[in-house]
Amino acid sequence: MTATAAEHHTAPARHPQRWLILGVICLAQLTVLLDNTVLSVAIPSLTRELHASTADIQWMINAYSLVQSGLLLTAGNAADRYGRKKLLIVGLVLFGIGSLAAGLAQTSGQLIAARAGMGVGGALLITTTLAVVVQLFDNPERVKAIGIWSTVNSLGFAAGPLIGGAMLNHFWWGAIFLINIPVAVLGLIAVAALVPESKSKEGDRPDLLGALLSTIGMTAVVYAIISGPDHGWLSGQVLASASVGLVVLGLFVFWELRIPYPMLDMHFFRDQRFTGAVAGAILVAFGMTGSLFLLTQHLQFVLGYGPLDAGLRTAPLAVSVIVLNLAGAGALAVRKLGTPGTIALGMVLVSAGLTAIAVLGAHGYGGMLLGLIVMGAGVAFSMPAMANAIMSAIPPEKAGVGAGINGTLAEFGNGLGVAVLGAVLNSRFAALVPAAVGAASLPAALTAADGEAERLSISDAFASSLETSQLVGAVAVLAGGLLAALLLRRAERANPTPCTPGSPGSRAGSPSGSPSAASSGSASDSMSGAA
């Protein structure tokens, strides 16, 4: 890259209001993040008032995540081409409309459909927020800015259950969605007034077929995982769904490798640094969201806490993330241990936290508290480091695509965590509960129980099933974390260039043969409103 081009890339970082703008886009990001977790404390209410089964609850969560996963990359391409500010505004509007529809839903099916609609707006928001951060901040400031962006992610993770619990104590369950509307309106006004427009002069065409294939493929695979406990893992329905999903995902890869403007440039996977960060990002999201899905049920169904108390008791996880991020612990760890060592440390801590929650929290909150704090420390170390590693492998003019990849990984990990750990929970619970009682959900099984002794046995079976699910998540996170660290370490030895997003060194380490890497010097971004 020439000096002129490099100066052009770093000019937007000198925008005099860049830190205020960071606050604005973090507010927009917070809107989406609240909805990722706010539903968790409403699971018992939805089970009672909408007569939702465990599979219904999983689809209320997964409909949102899977639609986002399928659209994030296309949204990133569209943002790079047509303007990140424009897409951010559209995302806020769509998200607000979807929240209104969800709050007024009368059946499980209506709520699932509204959640899917919210996923469209969420895809636009997630993509554009990180892309704007990358465009506004130069290399020395960008790590700090991404750390603040990650802190807001954790704040949303903590605030969701708290806000949801407070709303459920005073209002009906639909209020947890309606609370999104004033936040979206405030974000819309601030974005329109402060955020400068930015886009690539030679943006790519949106890959609509790729988005369709990825959405269908992931939906089919997750449907198979959710349906397995009810229909049998070798049943025709489950095998057909899994087969369709795998075939469609294979077609997605085939299509992406052969079109000039792919939604996901498969050549990025030639970079072991990128591949390692991908694996780690999926597993962190898998462990966090899957464990929260199980933890809130444990706190309410087994330990007997109300929605607000349950929400308060999940907060230490995110509080530990926020405190460590604001203290700069992640950046310090990267300087001392390097990116691979920091990610390995973080993932080991996440796994240890999950194990402590499963084993020590089986009969009380004290053990859970320790596990939540340890797990939060692991997230604080690993998440910013992985976001930096992913963005460093993507040229800056592809910031929207890079943000789309990062968001897709998180959302896919979210859906996978709920689906896999939920399936383990259902399978174990169905095996332990007497066949005459049935095990569609814990409340249904307790209602069908004959006598107090049988109800106590069912509660113990549910607690045992939760422990098994948490341990499965801990093993998966540990294995994935060590694999991610190994790949990153090998990549650094092969190409010891700095792992700073947007730096010339990082682009030199981009996957060989990548069209975007080859054109990084010509496809420069334009940003209006920069100083």
Side-chain angles (χ1 to χ4, degrees):
M1 174 177 290
T2 65
T4 302
E7 291 168 1
H8 184 73
H9 280 303
T10 58
R14 295 190 294 270
H15 193 289
Q17 294 179 306
R18 59 191 180 277
W19 293 105
L20 178 60
I21 293 170
L22 175 63
V24 170
I25 62 177
C26 284
L27 177 65
Q29 176 82 348
L30 184 62
T31 308
V32 182
L33 296 166
L34 288 174
D35 200 74
N36 276 335
T37 57
V38 74
L39 190 63
S40 299
V41 293
I43 290 174
S45 300
L46 294 169
T47 301
R48 290 190 302 266
E49 297 179 29
L50 293 183
H51 307 290
S53 67
T54 300
D56 289 334
I57 297 295
Q58 288 176 324
W59 275 112
M60 289 173 189
I61 297 173
N62 285 329
Y64 181 74
S65 298
L66 290 174
V67 169
Q68 280 189 339
S69 299
L71 294 179
L72 279 170
L73 294 173
T74 295
N77 280 328
D80 287 339
R81 180 178 177 86
Y82 300 113
R84 299 173 184 113
K85 177 177 180 177
K86 291 186 182 71
L87 271 293
L88 189 53
I89 290 174
V90 172
L92 284 165
V93 171
L94 292 178
F95 193 83
I97 294 173
S99 297
L100 178 63
L104 301 179
Q106 299 296 312
T107 66
S108 294
Q110 291 175 1
L111 182 53
I112 291 170
R115 291 273 296 168
M118 293 171 68
V120 178
L124 296 172
L125 294 176
I126 289 176
T127 303
T128 48
T129 51
L130 183 56
V132 171
V133 170
V134 171
Q135 294 301 313
L136 281 175
F137 292 90
D138 60 9
N139 296 334
E141 292 183 331
R142 192 172 297 154
V143 174
K144 182 179 179 181
I146 290 179
I148 294 174
W149 179 84
S150 298
T151 300
V152 172
N153 288 354
S154 302
L155 179 61
F157 189 84
L162 291 176
I163 292 175
M167 298 296 290
L168 289 172
N169 267 14
H170 298 91
F171 306 100
W172 93 112
W173 62 264
I176 65 176
F177 297 108
L178 298 182
I179 194 65
N180 292 336
I181 297 175
V183 180
V185 171
L186 180 60
L188 185 64
I189 295 171
V191 167
L194 293 173
V195 175
E197 183 61 281
S198 65
K199 59 184 178 179
S200 175
K201 291 181 178 179
E202 300 180 10
D204 296 339
R205 293 188 297 245
D207 178 16
L208 299 180
L209 179 58
L212 179 64
L213 290 174
S214 63
T215 302
I216 292 174
M218 286 190 290
T219 301
V221 169
V222 173
Y223 176 78
I225 295 172
I226 292 176
S227 303
D230 293 331
H231 301 286
W233 293 104
L234 298 179
S235 67
Q237 180 177 342
V238 172
L239 290 177
S241 178
S243 299
V244 168
L246 293 175
V247 169
V248 172
L249 289 177
L251 291 174
F252 168 73
V253 174
F254 179 84
W255 172 256
E256 297 300 293
L257 287 170
R258 282 158 178 77
I259 60 172
Y261 298 99
M263 183 173 72
L264 175 59
D265 187 347
M266 294 297 170
H267 294 94
F268 287 138
F269 290 94
R270 293 180 180 175
D271 188 340
Q272 289 183 335
R273 180 181 55 199
F274 177 80
T275 304
V278 163
I282 291 176
L283 267 298
V284 165
F286 175 97
M288 285 186 64
T289 306
S291 64
L292 183 65
F293 173 74
L294 301 173
L295 179 62
T296 52
Q297 294 183 71
H298 193 162
L299 287 168
Q300 295 184 68
F301 285 142
V302 177
L303 300 183
Y305 292 109
L308 178 58
D309 289 335
L312 287 170
R313 282 165 175 77
T314 62
L317 188 157
V319 170
S320 64
V321 177
I322 293 169
V323 169
L324 288 173
N325 273 343
L326 291 179
L332 178 62
V334 170
R335 289 197 297 270
K336 297 293 185 181
L337 304 176
T339 298
T342 302
I343 290 176
L345 172 62
M347 299 294 270
V348 168
L349 290 174
V350 170
S351 179
L354 284 169
T355 303
I357 291 172
V359 177
L360 302 179
H363 302 291
Y365 180 69
M368 281 189 185
L369 177 61
L370 174 63
L372 288 169
I373 293 173
V374 172
M375 187 176 173
V379 173
F381 286 122
S382 58
M383 188 175 289
M386 286 186 293
N388 277 328
I390 290 172
M391 297 305 290
S392 71
I394 308 294
E397 69 274 5
K398 299 284 187 179
V401 175
I405 293 171
N406 187 71
T408 297
L409 299 174
E411 290 303 320
F412 183 70
N414 291 342
L416 197 63
V418 171
V420 172
L421 298 187
V424 173
L425 170 65
N426 290 343
S427 296
R428 179 66 174 164
F429 188 48
L432 294 177
V433 171
V437 173
S441 66
L442 177 62
L446 291 174
T447 300
D450 182 17
E452 185 62 29
E454 192 167 81
R455 279 192 288 271
L456 181 59
S457 175
I458 290 171
S459 295
D460 289 342
F462 190 77
S464 176
S465 303
L466 283 167
E467 180 180 345
T468 301
S469 301
Q470 296 280 16
L471 290 174
V472 169
V475 171
V477 169
L478 179 61
L482 295 179
L483 174 62
L486 176 62
L487 292 174
L488 287 165
R489 178 66 70 192
R490 289 179 59 186
E492 285 192 353
R493 289 175 178 172
N495 181 15
T497 53
C499 203
T500 305
S503 67
S506 69
R507 280 186 294 278
S510 294
S512 60
S514 169
S516 57
S519 61
S520 63
S522 58
S524 58
D525 283 354
S526 62
M527 175 177 289
S528 60

mmCIF file of all heavy atoms in Angstrom, residues 369-415:
data_model
loop_
_atom_site.group_PDB
_atom_site.id
_atom_site.type_symbol
_atom_site.label_atom_id
_atom_site.label_comp_id
_atom_site.label_asym_id
_atom_site.label_seq_id
_atom_site.Cartn_x
_atom_site.Cartn_y
_atom_site.Cartn_z
ATOM 1 N N LEU A 369 -21.724 -18.374 41.884
ATOM 2 C CA LEU A 369 -21.095 -17.058 41.918
ATOM 3 C C LEU A 369 -19.620 -17.151 41.544
ATOM 4 O O LEU A 369 -19.121 -16.372 40.717
ATOM 5 C CB LEU A 369 -21.261 -16.438 43.303
ATOM 6 C CG LEU A 369 -20.593 -15.081 43.523
ATOM 7 C CD1 LEU A 369 -21.168 -14.040 42.568
ATOM 8 C CD2 LEU A 369 -20.761 -14.638 44.972
ATOM 9 N N LEU A 370 -18.915 -18.098 42.125
ATOM 10 C CA LEU A 370 -17.510 -18.290 41.782
ATOM 11 C C LEU A 370 -17.348 -18.607 40.301
ATOM 12 O O LEU A 370 -16.491 -18.038 39.618
ATOM 13 C CB LEU A 370 -16.920 -19.422 42.633
ATOM 14 C CG LEU A 370 -15.491 -19.845 42.287
ATOM 15 C CD1 LEU A 370 -14.524 -18.693 42.513
ATOM 16 C CD2 LEU A 370 -15.088 -21.072 43.106
ATOM 17 N N GLY A 371 -18.184 -19.513 39.798
ATOM 18 C CA GLY A 371 -18.100 -19.886 38.393
ATOM 19 C C GLY A 371 -18.380 -18.721 37.463
ATOM 20 O O GLY A 371 -17.715 -18.550 36.431
ATOM 21 N N LEU A 372 -19.355 -17.877 37.796
ATOM 22 C CA LEU A 372 -19.697 -16.731 36.962
ATOM 23 C C LEU A 372 -18.548 -15.734 36.897
ATOM 24 O O LEU A 372 -18.242 -15.182 35.834
ATOM 25 C CB LEU A 372 -20.955 -16.055 37.503
ATOM 26 C CG LEU A 372 -22.271 -16.809 37.299
ATOM 27 C CD1 LEU A 372 -23.378 -16.170 38.117
ATOM 28 C CD2 LEU A 372 -22.649 -16.857 35.829
ATOM 29 N N ILE A 373 -17.891 -15.490 38.028
ATOM 30 C CA ILE A 373 -16.774 -14.538 38.057
ATOM 31 C C ILE A 373 -15.594 -15.061 37.233
ATOM 32 O O ILE A 373 -14.981 -14.330 36.445
ATOM 33 C CB ILE A 373 -16.350 -14.265 39.506
ATOM 34 C CG1 ILE A 373 -17.469 -13.514 40.244
ATOM 35 C CG2 ILE A 373 -15.050 -13.464 39.552
ATOM 36 C CD1 ILE A 373 -17.219 -13.337 41.730
ATOM 37 N N VAL A 374 -15.269 -16.343 37.402
ATOM 38 C CA VAL A 374 -14.173 -16.938 36.642
ATOM 39 C C VAL A 374 -14.491 -16.934 35.147
ATOM 40 O O VAL A 374 -13.638 -16.605 34.308
ATOM 41 C CB VAL A 374 -13.900 -18.367 37.141
ATOM 42 C CG1 VAL A 374 -12.897 -19.077 36.245
ATOM 43 C CG2 VAL A 374 -13.382 -18.345 38.575
ATOM 44 N N MET A 375 -15.721 -17.273 34.804
ATOM 45 C CA MET A 375 -16.126 -17.285 33.400
ATOM 46 C C MET A 375 -16.055 -15.878 32.806
ATOM 47 O O MET A 375 -15.601 -15.688 31.667
ATOM 48 C CB MET A 375 -17.543 -17.836 33.291
ATOM 49 C CG MET A 375 -18.032 -18.049 31.882
ATOM 50 S SD MET A 375 -19.675 -18.821 31.906
ATOM 51 C CE MET A 375 -20.061 -18.746 30.156
ATOM 52 N N GLY A 376 -16.478 -14.866 33.571
ATOM 53 C CA GLY A 376 -16.394 -13.495 33.091
ATOM 54 C C GLY A 376 -14.964 -13.055 32.850
ATOM 55 O O GLY A 376 -14.672 -12.351 31.870
ATOM 56 N N ALA A 377 -14.044 -13.465 33.723
ATOM 57 C CA ALA A 377 -12.635 -13.141 33.512
ATOM 58 C C ALA A 377 -12.129 -13.753 32.212
ATOM 59 O O ALA A 377 -11.383 -13.115 31.451
ATOM 60 C CB ALA A 377 -11.806 -13.640 34.691
ATOM 61 N N GLY A 378 -12.553 -14.977 31.927
ATOM 62 C CA GLY A 378 -12.141 -15.617 30.683
ATOM 63 C C GLY A 378 -12.651 -14.888 29.454
ATOM 64 O O GLY A 378 -11.921 -14.715 28.468
ATOM 65 N N VAL A 379 -13.889 -14.428 29.509
ATOM 66 C CA VAL A 379 -14.451 -13.679 28.384
ATOM 67 C C VAL A 379 -13.710 -12.357 28.202
ATOM 68 O O VAL A 379 -13.425 -11.930 27.073
ATOM 69 C CB VAL A 379 -15.962 -13.437 28.607
ATOM 70 C CG1 VAL A 379 -16.525 -12.517 27.530
ATOM 71 C CG2 VAL A 379 -16.716 -14.761 28.600
ATOM 72 N N ALA A 380 -13.373 -11.679 29.298
ATOM 73 C CA ALA A 380 -12.672 -10.394 29.220
ATOM 74 C C ALA A 380 -11.310 -10.541 28.546
ATOM 75 O O ALA A 380 -10.876 -9.638 27.825
ATOM 76 C CB ALA A 380 -12.503 -9.810 30.619
ATOM 77 N N PHE A 381 -10.625 -11.651 28.773
ATOM 78 C CA PHE A 381 -9.328 -11.869 28.130
ATOM 79 C C PHE A 381 -9.470 -12.280 26.667
ATOM 80 O O PHE A 381 -8.733 -11.813 25.805
ATOM 81 C CB PHE A 381 -8.537 -12.937 28.892
ATOM 82 C CG PHE A 381 -7.979 -12.461 30.205
ATOM 83 C CD1 PHE A 381 -8.315 -13.090 31.385
ATOM 84 C CD2 PHE A 381 -7.117 -11.375 30.257
ATOM 85 C CE1 PHE A 381 -7.802 -12.653 32.606
ATOM 86 C CE2 PHE A 381 -6.599 -10.927 31.467
ATOM 87 C CZ PHE A 381 -6.944 -11.572 32.649
ATOM 88 N N SER A 382 -10.409 -13.167 26.382
ATOM 89 C CA SER A 382 -10.442 -13.798 25.062
ATOM 90 C C SER A 382 -11.208 -13.018 24.008
ATOM 91 O O SER A 382 -10.795 -12.957 22.842
ATOM 92 C CB SER A 382 -11.035 -15.210 25.175
ATOM 93 O OG SER A 382 -12.339 -15.170 25.720
ATOM 94 N N MET A 383 -12.327 -12.379 24.376
ATOM 95 C CA MET A 383 -13.190 -11.797 23.352
ATOM 96 C C MET A 383 -12.551 -10.636 22.594
ATOM 97 O O MET A 383 -12.551 -10.628 21.358
ATOM 98 C CB MET A 383 -14.531 -11.384 23.964
ATOM 99 C CG MET A 383 -15.564 -10.939 22.931
ATOM 100 S SD MET A 383 -17.181 -10.583 23.676
ATOM 101 C CE MET A 383 -17.723 -12.242 24.091
ATOM 102 N N PRO A 384 -11.973 -9.609 23.258
ATOM 103 C CA PRO A 384 -11.336 -8.533 22.483
ATOM 104 C C PRO A 384 -10.157 -9.020 21.653
ATOM 105 O O PRO A 384 -9.945 -8.553 20.535
ATOM 106 C CB PRO A 384 -10.884 -7.541 23.562
ATOM 107 C CG PRO A 384 -11.724 -7.844 24.759
ATOM 108 C CD PRO A 384 -11.958 -9.322 24.707
ATOM 109 N N ALA A 385 -9.398 -9.964 22.181
ATOM 110 C CA ALA A 385 -8.251 -10.482 21.435
ATOM 111 C C ALA A 385 -8.705 -11.177 20.160
ATOM 112 O O ALA A 385 -8.078 -11.042 19.105
ATOM 113 C CB ALA A 385 -7.457 -11.448 22.314
ATOM 114 N N MET A 386 -9.802 -11.930 20.238
ATOM 115 C CA MET A 386 -10.292 -12.619 19.051
ATOM 116 C C MET A 386 -10.887 -11.649 18.045
ATOM 117 O O MET A 386 -10.723 -11.820 16.830
ATOM 118 C CB MET A 386 -11.308 -13.687 19.443
ATOM 119 C CG MET A 386 -10.650 -14.904 20.069
ATOM 120 S SD MET A 386 -11.776 -16.250 20.388
ATOM 121 C CE MET A 386 -12.808 -15.551 21.658
ATOM 122 N N ALA A 387 -11.598 -10.611 18.510
ATOM 123 C CA ALA A 387 -12.130 -9.604 17.590
ATOM 124 C C ALA A 387 -10.998 -8.910 16.845
ATOM 125 O O ALA A 387 -11.075 -8.697 15.629
ATOM 126 C CB ALA A 387 -12.978 -8.585 18.352
ATOM 127 N N ASN A 388 -9.922 -8.581 17.547
ATOM 128 C CA ASN A 388 -8.762 -7.964 16.899
ATOM 129 C C ASN A 388 -8.135 -8.906 15.878
ATOM 130 O O ASN A 388 -7.732 -8.490 14.789
ATOM 131 C CB ASN A 388 -7.722 -7.574 17.949
ATOM 132 C CG ASN A 388 -8.020 -6.242 18.598
ATOM 133 O OD1 ASN A 388 -8.580 -5.352 17.970
ATOM 134 N ND2 ASN A 388 -7.656 -6.106 19.858
ATOM 135 N N ALA A 389 -8.025 -10.182 16.227
ATOM 136 C CA ALA A 389 -7.403 -11.148 15.314
ATOM 137 C C ALA A 389 -8.224 -11.293 14.045
ATOM 138 O O ALA A 389 -7.675 -11.373 12.943
ATOM 139 C CB ALA A 389 -7.252 -12.503 16.016
ATOM 140 N N ILE A 390 -9.547 -11.316 14.184
ATOM 141 C CA ILE A 390 -10.409 -11.441 13.002
ATOM 142 C C ILE A 390 -10.295 -10.197 12.125
ATOM 143 O O ILE A 390 -10.091 -10.285 10.903
ATOM 144 C CB ILE A 390 -11.867 -11.669 13.429
ATOM 145 C CG1 ILE A 390 -12.029 -13.063 14.039
ATOM 146 C CG2 ILE A 390 -12.815 -11.519 12.235
ATOM 147 C CD1 ILE A 390 -13.386 -13.308 14.667
ATOM 148 N N MET A 391 -10.415 -9.018 12.729
ATOM 149 C CA MET A 391 -10.390 -7.793 11.933
ATOM 150 C C MET A 391 -9.016 -7.538 11.320
ATOM 151 O O MET A 391 -8.921 -6.896 10.274
ATOM 152 C CB MET A 391 -10.811 -6.605 12.802
ATOM 153 C CG MET A 391 -12.239 -6.685 13.346
ATOM 154 S SD MET A 391 -13.514 -6.907 12.082
ATOM 155 C CE MET A 391 -13.480 -5.303 11.290
ATOM 156 N N SER A 392 -7.949 -8.046 11.942
ATOM 157 C CA SER A 392 -6.610 -7.826 11.399
ATOM 158 C C SER A 392 -6.388 -8.600 10.108
ATOM 159 O O SER A 392 -5.495 -8.259 9.332
ATOM 160 C CB SER A 392 -5.556 -8.225 12.428
ATOM 161 O OG SER A 392 -5.515 -9.631 12.593
ATOM 162 N N ALA A 393 -7.170 -9.646 9.878
ATOM 163 C CA ALA A 393 -7.029 -10.437 8.657
ATOM 164 C C ALA A 393 -7.885 -9.896 7.519
ATOM 165 O O ALA A 393 -7.849 -10.437 6.418
ATOM 166 C CB ALA A 393 -7.403 -11.897 8.932
ATOM 167 N N ILE A 394 -8.662 -8.826 7.776
ATOM 168 C CA ILE A 394 -9.564 -8.265 6.779
ATOM 169 C C ILE A 394 -9.079 -6.875 6.403
ATOM 170 O O ILE A 394 -8.845 -6.042 7.275
ATOM 171 C CB ILE A 394 -11.010 -8.163 7.337
ATOM 172 C CG1 ILE A 394 -11.458 -9.503 7.912
ATOM 173 C CG2 ILE A 394 -11.974 -7.677 6.274
ATOM 174 C CD1 ILE A 394 -11.612 -10.594 6.904
ATOM 175 N N PRO A 395 -8.909 -6.554 5.100
ATOM 176 C CA PRO A 395 -8.512 -5.195 4.714
ATOM 177 C C PRO A 395 -9.534 -4.175 5.197
ATOM 178 O O PRO A 395 -10.726 -4.472 5.287
ATOM 179 C CB PRO A 395 -8.492 -5.262 3.174
ATOM 180 C CG PRO A 395 -8.321 -6.714 2.862
ATOM 181 C CD PRO A 395 -9.028 -7.451 3.943
ATOM 182 N N PRO A 396 -9.101 -2.949 5.541
ATOM 183 C CA PRO A 396 -10.013 -1.961 6.128
ATOM 184 C C PRO A 396 -11.179 -1.574 5.231
ATOM 185 O O PRO A 396 -12.232 -1.210 5.727
ATOM 186 C CB PRO A 396 -9.104 -0.767 6.429
ATOM 187 C CG PRO A 396 -7.887 -0.969 5.610
ATOM 188 C CD PRO A 396 -7.719 -2.444 5.456
ATOM 189 N N GLU A 397 -10.998 -1.629 3.905
ATOM 190 C CA GLU A 397 -12.130 -1.299 3.033
ATOM 191 C C GLU A 397 -13.201 -2.380 3.068
ATOM 192 O O GLU A 397 -14.302 -2.191 2.559
ATOM 193 C CB GLU A 397 -11.662 -1.060 1.591
ATOM 194 C CG GLU A 397 -11.153 -2.286 0.861
ATOM 195 C CD GLU A 397 -9.683 -2.548 1.111
ATOM 196 O OE1 GLU A 397 -9.083 -1.823 1.930
ATOM 197 O OE2 GLU A 397 -9.138 -3.470 0.485
ATOM 198 N N LYS A 398 -12.866 -3.522 3.677
ATOM 199 C CA LYS A 398 -13.838 -4.597 3.881
ATOM 200 C C LYS A 398 -14.309 -4.630 5.331
ATOM 201 O O LYS A 398 -14.697 -5.686 5.837
ATOM 202 C CB LYS A 398 -13.193 -5.947 3.533
ATOM 203 C CG LYS A 398 -12.719 -6.064 2.092
ATOM 204 C CD LYS A 398 -13.878 -6.282 1.160
ATOM 205 C CE LYS A 398 -13.374 -6.581 -0.259
ATOM 206 N NZ LYS A 398 -14.481 -6.829 -1.183
ATOM 207 N N ALA A 399 -14.304 -3.482 5.996
ATOM 208 C CA ALA A 399 -14.646 -3.451 7.421
ATOM 209 C C ALA A 399 -16.038 -3.996 7.677
ATOM 210 O O ALA A 399 -16.280 -4.683 8.673
ATOM 211 C CB ALA A 399 -14.532 -2.021 7.951
ATOM 212 N N GLY A 400 -16.985 -3.684 6.797
ATOM 213 C CA GLY A 400 -18.337 -4.215 6.976
ATOM 214 C C GLY A 400 -18.376 -5.721 6.891
ATOM 215 O O GLY A 400 -19.047 -6.391 7.682
ATOM 216 N N VAL A 401 -17.644 -6.275 5.920
ATOM 217 C CA VAL A 401 -17.578 -7.726 5.783
ATOM 218 C C VAL A 401 -16.915 -8.343 7.019
ATOM 219 O O VAL A 401 -17.378 -9.357 7.544
ATOM 220 C CB VAL A 401 -16.793 -8.113 4.510
ATOM 221 C CG1 VAL A 401 -16.620 -9.618 4.419
ATOM 222 C CG2 VAL A 401 -17.517 -7.591 3.285
ATOM 223 N N GLY A 402 -15.824 -7.722 7.492
ATOM 224 C CA GLY A 402 -15.155 -8.236 8.684
ATOM 225 C C GLY A 402 -16.065 -8.226 9.889
ATOM 226 O O GLY A 402 -16.115 -9.194 10.660
ATOM 227 N N ALA A 403 -16.812 -7.128 10.061
ATOM 228 C CA ALA A 403 -17.770 -7.067 11.159
ATOM 229 C C ALA A 403 -18.868 -8.104 10.981
ATOM 230 O O ALA A 403 -19.345 -8.689 11.959
ATOM 231 C CB ALA A 403 -18.378 -5.663 11.248
ATOM 232 N N GLY A 404 -19.259 -8.326 9.726
ATOM 233 C CA GLY A 404 -20.265 -9.352 9.469
ATOM 234 C C GLY A 404 -19.771 -10.736 9.833
ATOM 235 O O GLY A 404 -20.514 -11.549 10.396
ATOM 236 N N ILE A 405 -18.501 -11.019 9.516
ATOM 237 C CA ILE A 405 -17.927 -12.314 9.895
ATOM 238 C C ILE A 405 -17.896 -12.457 11.408
ATOM 239 O O ILE A 405 -18.302 -13.478 11.969
ATOM 240 C CB ILE A 405 -16.508 -12.451 9.308
ATOM 241 C CG1 ILE A 405 -16.564 -12.539 7.784
ATOM 242 C CG2 ILE A 405 -15.800 -13.679 9.884
ATOM 243 C CD1 ILE A 405 -15.221 -12.469 7.100
ATOM 244 N N ASN A 406 -17.413 -11.422 12.099
ATOM 245 C CA ASN A 406 -17.342 -11.467 13.554
ATOM 246 C C ASN A 406 -18.731 -11.664 14.169
ATOM 247 O O ASN A 406 -18.921 -12.482 15.076
ATOM 248 C CB ASN A 406 -16.711 -10.174 14.076
ATOM 249 C CG ASN A 406 -16.452 -10.213 15.569
ATOM 250 O OD1 ASN A 406 -15.576 -10.921 16.042
ATOM 251 N ND2 ASN A 406 -17.220 -9.447 16.321
ATOM 252 N N GLY A 407 -19.709 -10.923 13.664
ATOM 253 C CA GLY A 407 -21.067 -11.070 14.176
ATOM 254 C C GLY A 407 -21.694 -12.404 13.839
ATOM 255 O O GLY A 407 -22.418 -12.990 14.651
ATOM 256 N N THR A 408 -21.416 -12.911 12.626
ATOM 257 C CA THR A 408 -21.953 -14.211 12.237
ATOM 258 C C THR A 408 -21.441 -15.307 13.154
ATOM 259 O O THR A 408 -22.203 -16.192 13.574
ATOM 260 C CB THR A 408 -21.557 -14.532 10.777
ATOM 261 O OG1 THR A 408 -22.146 -13.562 9.913
ATOM 262 C CG2 THR A 408 -22.042 -15.908 10.373
ATOM 263 N N LEU A 409 -20.156 -15.249 13.454
ATOM 264 C CA LEU A 409 -19.580 -16.258 14.345
ATOM 265 C C LEU A 409 -20.242 -16.219 15.711
ATOM 266 O O LEU A 409 -20.586 -17.258 16.282
ATOM 267 C CB LEU A 409 -18.077 -16.023 14.492
ATOM 268 C CG LEU A 409 -17.246 -16.111 13.212
ATOM 269 C CD1 LEU A 409 -15.806 -15.724 13.488
ATOM 270 C CD2 LEU A 409 -17.326 -17.495 12.608
ATOM 271 N N ALA A 410 -20.430 -14.995 16.257
ATOM 272 C CA ALA A 410 -21.057 -14.869 17.568
ATOM 273 C C ALA A 410 -22.491 -15.378 17.544
ATOM 274 O O ALA A 410 -22.921 -16.131 18.425
ATOM 275 C CB ALA A 410 -21.017 -13.408 18.025
ATOM 276 N N GLU A 411 -23.250 -14.984 16.505
ATOM 277 C CA GLU A 411 -24.647 -15.393 16.445
ATOM 278 C C GLU A 411 -24.780 -16.897 16.181
ATOM 279 O O GLU A 411 -25.658 -17.561 16.744
ATOM 280 C CB GLU A 411 -25.379 -14.609 15.363
ATOM 281 C CG GLU A 411 -25.573 -13.147 15.700
ATOM 282 C CD GLU A 411 -26.312 -12.956 17.015
ATOM 283 O OE1 GLU A 411 -27.254 -13.703 17.295
ATOM 284 O OE2 GLU A 411 -25.925 -12.052 17.781
ATOM 285 N N PHE A 412 -23.905 -17.439 15.325
ATOM 286 C CA PHE A 412 -23.951 -18.881 15.097
ATOM 287 C C PHE A 412 -23.600 -19.631 16.371
ATOM 288 O O PHE A 412 -24.218 -20.645 16.711
ATOM 289 C CB PHE A 412 -22.997 -19.265 13.964
ATOM 290 C CG PHE A 412 -23.035 -20.733 13.627
ATOM 291 C CD1 PHE A 412 -24.146 -21.280 13.013
ATOM 292 C CD2 PHE A 412 -21.972 -21.561 13.933
ATOM 293 C CE1 PHE A 412 -24.193 -22.635 12.707
ATOM 294 C CE2 PHE A 412 -22.005 -22.912 13.628
ATOM 295 C CZ PHE A 412 -23.123 -23.442 13.012
ATOM 296 N N GLY A 413 -22.597 -19.134 17.104
ATOM 297 C CA GLY A 413 -22.256 -19.755 18.383
ATOM 298 C C GLY A 413 -23.391 -19.660 19.378
ATOM 299 O O GLY A 413 -23.651 -20.610 20.129
ATOM 300 N N ASN A 414 -24.112 -18.508 19.385
ATOM 301 C CA ASN A 414 -25.271 -18.367 20.272
ATOM 302 C C ASN A 414 -26.324 -19.430 19.981
ATOM 303 O O ASN A 414 -26.806 -20.125 20.876
ATOM 304 C CB ASN A 414 -25.894 -16.978 20.097
ATOM 305 C CG ASN A 414 -25.018 -15.870 20.630
ATOM 306 O OD1 ASN A 414 -24.105 -16.111 21.414
ATOM 307 N ND2 ASN A 414 -25.275 -14.648 20.202
ATOM 308 N N GLY A 415 -26.707 -19.522 18.689
ATOM 309 C CA GLY A 415 -27.723 -20.503 18.321
ATOM 310 C C GLY A 415 -27.267 -21.923 18.571
ATOM 311 O O GLY A 415 -28.039 -22.774 19.030
#
